[in-house]
Amino acid sequence: MSNIYTASSGEIKRIQWLQLEKQLLYLQKNSGFYRKLFKKNEIDPDKINSYIEFQKIPITTKENVQEFNQDFLCVPESEIIDFVTTSGTLGKPVSFALNETDLQRLATNEMESFKMIGIKKEDVVQITTTLDRRFMAGMAYFLGLRKLGAGIVRTGSGFPQLQWDSIARFKPKYLVAVPSFLLKMIEYSELNNIDCNNSSVKAVICIGEPIRDLEFKLNSLGSKISKLWDIELFSTYASTEMATAFTECEAHRGNHAQPELIFTEILDEAGNPVKPGETGELVITTLQVETMPLLRFATGDMVSYTDEPCPCGRNTLRLSPVLGRKKQMIKFKGTSLYPQHIIEVLNNFKGIPAFVIEVNTNDVGTDAVVVKIPDSLSAEKVSLLKEHFKSKLQVTPTLEQVSLKIIEKLKSPEGSRKPLVFIDYR
Ligand SMILES: [Zn+2]
């Protein structure tokens, strides 16, 4: 365990602040975008020595990074080694780049993330996610495991048969996977007489979809998986912009931050830090990044946090699962909801094989929520689901029954890296 994790929270803040000051000076020297921003707002990065001063720096938005993409570049183009794009969940994908230092930093970041889970040099890990397609995460997993010295099996995404064949051949103890893909692997194992509980796999690092609820208990997707396959599930949360992973430890009480690599703020609508347990937008400043560092970047992800010491002995801040995107906030019949609230209700209700949530603006300018569920469900089941919604959220979205085929098609639009269950038409 790296020392910073178990240091006192005061010491963690002190070490982090030193990195932050260094990054501010680096941006002043090398970033066209931030130099202009400092000048325009009469900010002298040299004089920022408290959070109150730091808070005066305007927020950087996704649109800023999109519009002034090249201005964020802090190194000559000849220094760039890896070109990537963001996943583009909202809007067009944005270009990012990494130089040698950034690739080393990314490797360290992911190594620390794997260590958090308990992965050791002697372990074998199968990466069942995309390594190519301009995707930073897949490469980060590879680099992190390589730095750790662990064994790596690069199966890539999809192909349950290849996954099971590789498990039989190379006996990985861990998988890196999108949780819903684990269900596909379980389904394949059942059809092909593979006893998944007798395999070498003991734990999975889950990306892309939450597996825990706000109380850190396995959510319905998580429990569905673990009921069928006796494996330990760890969540990890990251993005291209953050270039840093937040990962669960063996206590499974939220995703630990890596304070020497990222400065995190969780802010309310007015831009003030929220209290532990309250929901706010995650705003990050990358530390030790050279090519495209971001300062007070609004991720759009709504989370809550805790700063209490973790049973694992680490004192770093821990994030809750992401409740949804800031822009995805749904004003519905007088309630504010995030997609995860609706997804949880549907997942907790037994017997719905698939669903898609669609949000539209209706004629009176408020949000309309339609949940598409399979037409195979009986009228009785649908009315039970309505009651279930009422009891969990106090409101009931419109339920529309369509064929399973239509739902599956909506869930996997062309070019999407992960299945969609929430579609926003607003
Ligand atoms: Zn912990």
Side-chain angles (χ1 to χ4, degrees):
M1 206 183 291
S2 145
N3 280 336
I4 189 162
Y5 295 101
T6 49
S8 68
S9 64
E11 179 66 3
I12 291 172
K13 281 193 180 120
R14 193 189 66 80
I15 297 170
Q16 188 177 41
W17 192 263
L18 289 176
Q19 288 294 350
L20 189 61
E21 284 180 337
K22 222 165 120 185
Q23 195 72 14
L24 286 168
L25 296 181
Y26 179 85
L27 290 169
Q28 166 75 356
K29 192 168 169 225
N30 301 293
S31 167
F33 180 84
Y34 287 111
R35 210 165 27 228
K36 265 182 236 161
L37 185 98
F38 293 148
K39 198 170 175 207
K40 195 174 157 204
N41 294 279
E42 294 173 0
I43 291 166
D44 182 355
D46 221 354
K47 293 205 172 100
I48 294 174
N49 48 23
S50 69
Y51 180 65
I52 294 173
E53 287 297 313
F54 181 75
Q55 246 188 320
K56 291 177 185 162
I57 302 171
I59 298 288
T60 302
T61 63
K62 203 158 269 199
E63 290 73 27
N64 292 150
V65 184
Q66 200 149 20
E67 193 180 346
F68 306 105
N69 203 243
Q70 286 297 309
D71 285 354
F72 281 87
L73 203 59
C74 293
V75 303
E77 271 194 58
S78 58
E79 242 196 60
I80 296 173
I81 294 174
D82 199 58
F83 295 90
V84 295
T85 53
T86 58
S87 59
T89 323
L90 289 174
K92 271 191 273 168
V94 178
S95 307
F96 268 82
L98 299 96
N99 71 355
E100 176 60 34
T101 309
D102 294 340
L103 286 167
Q104 297 287 353
R105 177 193 169 283
L106 194 66
T108 303
N109 151 68
E110 214 57 47
M111 177 182 73
E112 290 299 336
S113 162
F114 284 129
K115 279 198 204 158
M116 198 95 71
I117 288 161
I119 300 180
K120 297 185 181 71
K121 185 187 178 327
E122 53 271 31
D123 294 322
V124 175
V125 184
Q126 185 161 314
I127 307 176
T128 79
T129 59
T130 310
L131 259 84
D132 48 10
R133 294 178 71 189
R134 311 190 305 211
F135 200 26
M136 188 197 267
M139 181 183 59
Y141 302 135
F142 179 79
L143 294 176
L145 291 168
R146 195 171 132 66
K147 184 149 190 155
L148 189 60
I152 312 167
V153 187
R154 287 174 295 114
T155 43
S157 65
F159 306 111
Q161 187 189 359
L162 177 74
Q163 306 297 349
W164 282 113
D165 177 70
S166 303
I167 291 169
R169 275 171 198 267
F170 305 115
K171 312 266 181 299
K173 186 175 171 188
Y174 297 92
L175 302 181
V176 178
V178 175
S180 54
F181 180 64
L182 295 173
L183 291 173
K184 291 224 165 80
M185 284 182 66
I186 292 167
E187 194 183 297
Y188 183 91
S189 73
E190 284 167 351
L191 291 171
N192 292 278
N193 294 318
I194 297 165
D195 181 3
C196 52
N197 289 317
N198 239 332
S199 80
S200 59
V201 179
K202 297 290 169 252
V204 181
I205 299 93
C206 295
I207 63 152
E209 294 161 342
I211 46 157
R212 288 184 197 280
D213 60 23
L214 291 173
E215 288 159 3
F216 302 128
K217 285 191 300 226
L218 281 177
N219 66 16
S220 42
L221 177 62
S223 26
K224 199 168 169 184
I225 296 163
S226 60
K227 248 178 229 149
L228 297 165
W229 193 356
D230 184 22
I231 39 178
E232 193 172 359
L233 302 175
F234 291 88
S235 66
T236 178
Y237 159 69
S239 70
T240 307
E241 294 94 333
M242 300 196 294
T244 314
F246 293 78
T247 306
E248 223 171 74
C249 65
E250 69 276 10
H252 303 289
R253 308 280 306 162
N255 297 328
H256 278 279
Q258 300 192 51
E260 73 281 39
L261 298 179
I262 196 160
F263 183 79
T264 41
E265 300 171 81
I266 293 133
L267 306 179
D268 64 15
E269 280 293 323
N272 296 312
V274 299
K275 292 193 186 78
E278 291 176 359
T279 304
E281 183 180 18
L282 177 66
V283 173
I284 59 97
T285 298
T286 49
L287 304 174
Q288 304 187 47
V289 167
E290 284 188 358
T291 308
M292 282 182 73
L294 295 177
L295 173 58
R296 303 201 84 207
F297 173 75
T299 62
D301 286 339
M302 301 303 290
V303 297
S304 64
Y305 77 99
T306 175
D307 53 6
E308 278 170 33
C310 183
C312 73
R314 296 177 182 91
N315 291 320
T316 50
L317 169 142
R318 282 169 287 144
L319 294 184
S320 73
V322 176
L323 277 162
R325 294 283 192 167
K326 191 180 183 188
K327 281 184 186 160
Q328 287 174 330
M329 187 177 82
I330 305 159
K331 291 257 183 215
F332 188 55
K333 297 178 184 169
T335 319
S336 296
L337 295 175
Y338 286 97
Q340 202 52 34
H341 290 124
I342 304 172
I343 294 169
E344 285 286 292
V345 171
L346 286 156
N347 279 333
N348 274 316
F349 188 78
K350 281 199 178 71
I352 302 184
F355 60 83
V356 162
I357 303 158
E358 295 180 320
V359 180
N360 267 303
T361 307
N362 60 22
D363 331 335
V364 282
T366 58
D367 296 329
V369 184
V370 176
V371 179
K372 288 201 159 92
I373 49 173
D375 50 13
S376 56
L377 297 176
S378 67
E380 198 194 341
K381 192 109 202 170
V382 175
S383 109
L384 281 173
L385 176 61
K386 274 187 190 159
E387 273 171 42
H388 183 62
F389 262 111
K390 194 114 207 145
S391 74
K392 294 285 177 191
L393 300 179
Q394 281 78 48
V395 287
T396 310
T398 307
L399 301 176
E400 197 182 307
Q401 289 189 273
V402 298
S403 74
L404 193 59
K405 230 180 173 168
I406 292 179
I407 295 175
E408 292 299 345
K409 212 171 164 189
L410 283 167
K411 276 177 81 171
S412 352
E414 227 171 286
S416 177
R417 281 164 176 163
K418 41 193 181 196
L420 288 180
V421 288
F422 181 82
I423 306 172
D424 205 331
Y425 296 109
R426 290 172 292 178

